[in-house]
Amino acid sequence: MSRPVHLALAGLHCASCVQRLQRELMAVPGVEKAIVNLADRSAEVHGSAEEALLLAAVEHTGFQAWVVRESREALERQERETRRELRRKLLRTLLGLLFGALLMFRAPHPGPMPLLWDETRWNWFGLTLLTGGVMLLSGWHYYRGAWKAAQAHSTTMDTLISLGTVSAYLYSLLVVLWPAGFPADARHLYLESAVMIITLVNLGSVLETRARRNAQAAIRTLVELQPNAARRLTDEGEVTVAIQQIRPEDILLVRPGERIAVDGVVVDGQLHVDESMLTGEYRPVLKVVGEPLHAGSNNLSGAAKMRVTRIGEATTLAEIIRRVREAQNARPPIASQVDRWANIFVPLVLIIACLTLLIWLLVGPAPHLTHALVATVSVLIIACPCALGLAVPMSIMMASDLASRHGILIRDGMALQMASRMTVLIFDKTGTLTEGRGSVNHLHRFQEEMSENQLLQWAAAVEKQSEHAFAQAIVRKAGQHGLSLPECSDFQSLAGLGVKGTVEHKAVVLGNPALLSQSGIALDQAAELLHRWPEAGISPLLMAVEGRLVAIFGIADTLRADAHKALGRLRQTGIQTMLLSGDHETTTAHLAQSLGIDTFWGGMSPEEKLRIIHEQQIRGEIVGMVGDGINDAPALAAADVGFALGRGTDVAMAASGITLTNDHLDNLLLAVRISRATLRNIRQNLTAAFFYNIIAIPFAAGVFFHWTGWQMNPMIAAAAMTASSLTVVLNAGRLRMLRLKD
């Protein structure tokens, strides 16, 4: 499956902009899904559409875009664009503040100005140079956005700002051009209102952009971890090369204090490495020959040579950056409800504004036109849907930043939302609740013609192609005996059962009793061990050659040190824990009893795991699944939220919604707490945004005028609209200070 196209965007203002751009992208041939994020001005497009068509679609809506390819290059360009954007917004704001101050000084306090100019000259100066200058220089982007939206038969925040400011300006212009056409008490100029509306909206945009930049600190930190160069060993000696010149199979030299440039394995020497970029915590990790090294990790001490395995966007660091970016673009189901409201919000505001104008023209106090205009402009300005558009994405961005700092990567919005409602969490056993580095402690032969070493050789030859923890235990045991492994052909991995292969022209089968029974192999000889070993917590692995049972391996796995505490804390939060394993039922029962798990299933195939999950869902449970292997992938995908351990397989991580990069089971509870806090924060933001409009629009329309005698000034409306957006941004920022650990 092709990777989605990531676009960086410029010019987005509100939820209506997002909806219009998403519709435009979805109309491009080949697009299957398009997600536009207002908070970080980005889009993620899935499908087979050409990049040129996507960029053209964005430009057609009046926005700018470029394709995000390499993380560092994208970050540097985004930083440049953000700095330019901030400078432009700051200059627009300062210009508006200066000219607005002149207008407001002149309006209530004529002072010495009439000595130089009469009233008419001052009015024309205010109309043309002061107000006109601000509208053209500081507010032109709003008018251009409104025009683009109108051409697309749509409306956005720009529409409301443009209508409000242009209405105030045109009214003032008519008063200056034709004063006799207005009653004496209606000859008011609203130039300062038009100027300050634009200025306050620009000021809010400056503050929002700075908050948005802070929210992207997680990605910036990760990208900056990768060095620009590395030392490559060649026939001529050591050469410093740019990271773009490194290729797989190159040999690099890693010295103390250096950051590792790409992924690879140690081929000579040893290191103590800080992998906090991967795990979320500082803990020196010893790396010896054969151990993996990850780009971005820091060599604390020691020196080594490493063979390059993955470069560029294929490295673990690049994958983490990609997942953090996906997390920031995540759209929980609650966002769809916001989208439906945003689709009708601006048209609804325009209807309310028209009704406000009409009603006050008919029944308003004198001067009717002035009163109606002020109320209408206030409605248009105060209802700008900035806060509504930021409510969900700002919370998601802050939450993903917080989660990534604790080694938790949230892949999609559905997982984030469902984790907050989870009632049942089902665990796989091997590699999840146990260390997954089992050791072969027992080997019983049933055929004397095969020695223990030959059994280990043949078993390891087949198992070396498997990623299962038991397979790795067999391979390690063969390595400890110094055995060379023969070639294996016709390898098959049967999820939840075992493996098959051909070694030295002999058919070899290794797996659980179900696999050997399916192969027609009698297990009578192993019956007693199959009963006794699991009761002692030893997992049996059967081996057959040419249709005959030849051996049974006893593999003991160690319970993870944090399993008891993690499961206990999950149960304290009201989440029921269950155990679901492909291992022998007696072994599974032994582990479940030791962990205080009442509900468990053993000897389960991947299909049976799916059945169990569906049964729990039918009962009305919100089901989470924790796993790390290929055989867990179907269950992880079927669960309402899948949790994959970072040391697990790529398949398991791809099927899950949340990945724990540091493998700490305690992070399951942290993920749940982050999820609950994020959904709570989103609801707070949405509540604030909706109640703001429910209260503010009637006040702006003058519903309470007959009781209070007070009419809202358009400048106050602009300040209130800006304050509502900043309230959402600041409330979302509280997530970064969330206390997660007791």
Side-chain angles (χ1 to χ4, degrees):
M1 185 177 67
S2 60
R3 292 190 184 277
V5 177
H6 292 276
L7 302 176
L9 306 170
L12 265 68
H13 301 304
C14 65
S16 299
C17 298
V18 170
Q19 290 302 301
R20 184 159 62 92
L21 183 53
Q22 282 187 172
R23 287 196 299 270
E24 193 76 24
L25 288 172
M26 287 299 296
V28 176
V31 172
E32 298 172 3
K33 183 172 71 171
I35 301 172
V36 179
N37 189 325
L38 175 64
D40 73 345
R41 296 341 190 233
S42 70
E44 183 180 295
V45 185
H46 298 257
S48 56
E50 295 180 12
E51 292 179 357
L53 294 178
L54 297 176
L55 295 175
V58 174
E59 291 175 5
H60 182 258
T61 57
F63 307 118
Q64 295 82 49
W66 64 90
V67 178
V68 175
R69 301 189 191 279
E70 197 269 328
S71 299
R72 181 181 294 274
E73 178 186 353
L75 178 70
E76 291 173 351
R77 179 167 181 175
Q78 197 168 36
E79 281 287 301
R80 289 196 302 271
E81 292 293 329
T82 301
R83 284 195 295 268
R84 277 199 291 264
E85 182 183 2
L86 274 172
R87 281 198 298 269
R88 285 195 300 267
K89 289 179 177 179
L90 192 58
L91 286 173
R92 291 167 181 164
T93 303
L94 292 175
L95 178 67
L97 287 172
L98 175 62
F99 285 12
L102 288 174
L103 285 166
M104 286 190 290
F105 171 78
R106 172 64 181 88
H109 305 292
M113 296 300 290
L115 298 175
L116 302 176
W117 286 340
D118 59 22
E119 189 74 17
T120 301
R121 288 179 179 176
W122 173 258
N123 288 342
W124 278 110
F125 176 72
L127 273 169
T128 55
L129 292 181
L130 297 182
T131 309
V134 170
M135 293 176 73
L136 287 175
L137 299 176
S138 297
W140 179 251
H141 55 293
Y142 297 125
Y143 306 122
R144 183 183 59 197
W147 174 247
K148 287 285 186 180
Q151 288 179 313
H153 309 290
S154 181
T155 54
T156 66
M157 182 193 83
D158 294 337
T159 307
L160 301 181
I161 293 175
S162 299
L163 287 174
T165 54
V166 170
S167 298
Y169 184 82
L170 290 178
Y171 181 88
S172 303
L173 179 63
L174 288 174
V175 169
V176 173
L177 288 175
W178 187 36
F182 293 83
D185 57 359
R187 295 171 190 166
H188 297 294
L189 301 186
Y190 292 98
L191 301 179
E192 68 277 5
S193 294
V195 168
M196 292 311 296
I197 286 168
I198 292 173
T199 301
L200 288 171
V201 174
N202 281 335
L203 176 61
S205 184
V206 168
L207 299 175
E208 177 200 319
T209 301
R210 290 181 64 88
R212 200 161 30 88
R213 189 180 181 190
N214 292 337
Q216 293 175 305
I219 290 181
R220 281 203 306 274
T221 300
L222 288 170
V223 170
E224 290 166 358
L225 288 177
Q226 190 172 43
N228 294 315
R231 293 182 175 87
R232 183 168 61 192
L233 296 179
T234 66
D235 294 338
E236 289 76 28
E238 178 185 323
V239 179
T240 300
V241 296
I243 191 171
Q244 294 82 1
Q245 297 176 295
I246 298 174
R247 295 293 179 265
E249 302 302 321
D250 282 353
I251 302 298
L252 305 182
L253 178 63
V254 184
R255 291 179 175 173
E258 292 182 342
R259 286 204 176 271
I260 296 165
V262 292
D263 286 2
V265 295
V266 178
V267 294
D268 183 35
Q270 66 178 33
L271 312 167
H272 279 91
V273 176
D274 169 19
E275 292 186 332
S276 55
M277 45 69 64
L278 181 65
T279 64
E281 63 176 22
Y282 177 82
R283 183 182 64 180
V285 180
L286 177 63
K287 298 288 185 176
V288 297
V289 174
E291 293 281 343
L293 296 173
H294 301 289
S297 53
N298 187 26
N299 178 24
L300 300 174
S301 63
K305 297 176 183 177
M306 64 175 285
R307 176 174 54 83
V308 177
T309 56
R310 290 186 292 188
I311 61 173
E313 294 303 294
T315 64
T316 303
L317 178 61
E319 178 64 21
I320 291 174
I321 293 171
R322 191 157 45 245
R323 284 176 176 264
V324 172
R325 186 173 282 121
E326 287 174 355
Q328 293 188 344
N329 284 314
R331 289 179 57 78
I334 195 172
S336 300
Q337 302 170 20
V338 179
D339 291 344
R340 286 192 291 271
W341 174 245
N343 279 332
I344 63 171
F345 183 78
V346 175
L348 181 62
V349 170
L350 293 177
I351 293 172
I352 293 173
C354 291
L355 289 174
T356 300
L357 179 66
L358 180 63
I359 291 171
W360 286 119
L361 282 174
L362 295 176
V363 301
H368 299 286
L369 182 57
T370 299
H371 192 94
L373 175 68
V374 170
T376 302
V377 171
S378 296
V379 168
L380 290 171
I381 298 303
I382 207 167
C384 288
C386 304
L388 189 64
L390 290 169
V392 176
M394 282 302 298
S395 295
I396 296 293
M397 286 184 66
M398 296 297 181
S400 64
D401 182 10
L402 174 67
S404 67
R405 284 189 276 119
H406 288 84
I408 302 168
L409 301 180
I410 303 169
R411 190 169 63 91
D412 60 61
M414 177 65 78
L416 178 69
Q417 183 162 333
M418 298 309 287
S420 70
R421 299 165 49 199
M422 187 171 59
T423 58
V424 168
L425 187 56
I426 300 177
F427 289 83
D428 174 53
K429 183 180 78 70
T430 306
T432 302
L433 292 176
T434 63
E435 290 292 344
R437 290 180 60 87
S439 58
V440 181
N441 294 341
H442 301 80
L443 172 55
H444 185 88
R445 293 183 296 157
F446 297 109
Q447 304 297 333
E448 294 299 326
E449 64 268 22
M450 295 190 69
S451 66
E452 288 191 5
N453 281 350
Q454 187 178 11
L455 288 169
L456 270 174
Q457 275 184 309
W458 284 24
V462 179
E463 294 283 21
K464 70 179 180 180
Q465 300 184 53
S466 171
E467 294 180 321
H468 195 277
F470 287 2
Q472 295 168 9
I474 295 287
V475 174
R476 280 197 303 274
K477 187 70 171 179
Q480 290 168 4
H481 283 248
L483 302 175
S484 59
L485 305 185
E487 291 297 318
C488 172
S489 59
D490 304 322
F491 173 79
Q492 296 181 60
S493 178
L494 306 169
L497 296 172
V499 294
K500 294 181 178 181
T502 301
V503 180
E504 296 183 1
H505 308 292
K506 302 287 186 180
V508 179
V509 178
L510 288 110
N512 59 22
L515 175 59
L516 272 71
S517 296
Q518 289 178 15
S519 304
I521 299 169
L523 302 179
D524 297 341
Q525 295 173 281
E528 192 269 333
L529 291 177
L530 288 174
H531 174 74
R532 179 161 52 87
W533 280 1
E535 289 183 343
I538 300 170
S539 299
L541 181 67
L542 298 159
M543 177 178 179
V545 176
E546 290 293 300
R548 288 194 309 159
L549 182 66
V550 296
I552 179 171
F553 296 89
I555 301 176
D557 203 353
T558 305
L559 184 67
R560 294 176 65 121
D562 58 349
H564 280 285
K565 180 181 176 182
L567 268 65
R569 296 178 71 187
L570 285 166
R571 286 192 285 265
Q572 288 175 4
T573 64
I575 297 174
Q576 184 180 2
T577 57
M578 299 180 180
L579 180 58
L580 185 62
S581 176
D583 204 352
H584 195 281
E585 187 166 358
T586 308
T587 307
T588 304
H590 183 271
L591 180 67
Q593 183 179 11
S594 67
L595 289 172
I597 299 176
D598 297 325
T599 306
F600 59 89
W601 299 266
M604 306 300 290
S605 66
E607 293 75 18
E608 289 171 320
K609 290 182 179 181
L610 281 178
R611 176 178 57 80
I612 295 297
I613 287 176
H614 289 149
E615 286 177 356
Q616 295 296 320
Q617 290 170 330
I618 290 171
R619 291 177 52 193
E621 305 286 359
I622 305 298
V623 181
M625 174 72 192
V626 187
D628 71 331
I630 292 175
N631 61 317
D632 298 323
L636 288 168
D640 295 296
V641 52
F643 297 87
L645 301 185
R647 67 180 178 188
T649 64
D650 292 340
V651 175
M653 287 188 281
S656 65
I658 299 176
T659 298
L660 311 181
T661 60
N662 58 15
D663 287 346
H664 286 186
L665 293 179
D666 270 347
N667 274 12
L668 290 168
L669 182 59
L670 296 190
V672 171
R673 286 182 174 175
I674 289 172
S675 172
R676 291 177 177 177
T678 303
L679 267 294
R680 185 166 58 248
N681 192 269
I682 288 174
R683 292 189 187 99
Q684 290 168 352
N685 284 345
L686 291 175
T687 300
F690 278 111
F691 270 96
Y692 160 79
N693 284 297
I694 290 171
I695 296 171
I697 291 176
F699 262 105
V703 170
F704 306 104
F705 178 78
H706 288 295
W707 291 278
T708 65
W710 178 77
Q711 184 179 28
M712 182 176 289
N713 188 294
M715 287 188 292
I716 296 177
M721 185 271 288
T722 299
S724 70
S725 298
L726 293 179
T727 298
V728 167
V729 171
L730 293 173
N731 186 57
R734 290 171 53 244
L735 283 172
R736 300 183 71 186
M737 299 179 287
L738 183 68
R739 182 180 177 183
L740 293 175
K741 297 186 179 181
D742 299 332

